[in-house]
Amino acid sequence: MIISRGWGILAFLIPITIILLGISFFGKNGNATLSILFYSLIIAGTLTFLLGLIFKKKSIKKHDLYFLPLQIWGVIWLIIGIIGAIYA
């Protein structure tokens, strides 16, 4: 069961969408590489963080997934992407 409030589900939908777009546009014969995965996570983390900031300013309602706000999910995806891009 996914616990989310407001637009918190976007914390998972944005990375999945960006990864699929990265694979479809930059993959070789439809296959993913680690660099595509990690660069997609960097982009998704940035978008999620910015979207979380916008939602926090514009609405009174909370937007979180598993009790973590969208901004925190953006930072998590960004850190995973940067660490993976360095070591991949």
Side-chain angles (χ1 to χ4, degrees), residues 16-63:
I16 290 170
T17 305
I18 298 295
I19 290 169
L20 290 176
L21 286 172
I23 291 170
S24 65
F25 285 121
F26 301 109
K28 297 186 180 11
N29 297 327
N31 294 326
T33 61
L34 280 177
S35 61
I36 291 174
L37 173 69
F38 292 129
Y39 291 138
S40 297
L41 283 178
I42 291 171
I43 294 169
T46 306
L47 288 176
T48 306
F49 180 77
L50 293 175
L51 197 61
L53 286 178
I54 291 170
F55 282 159
K56 187 175 182 180
K57 282 188 171 189
K58 297 285 181 181
S59 84
I60 299 169
K61 220 169 137 182
K62 289 187 176 183
H63 304 283

Side-chain angles (χ1 to χ4, degrees), residues 4-15 44-56 62-77:
S4 70
R5 286 187 286 185
W7 286 102
I9 194 71
L10 291 177
F12 281 146
L13 293 180
I14 290 174
T46 306
L47 288 176
T48 306
F49 180 77
L50 293 175
L51 197 61
L53 286 178
I54 291 170
F55 282 159
K56 187 175 182 180
K62 289 187 176 183
H63 304 283
D64 56 2
L65 179 68
Y66 293 117
F67 307 111
L68 293 174
L70 278 177
Q71 301 95 309
I72 302 298
W73 281 106
V75 171
I76 290 170
W77 294 129

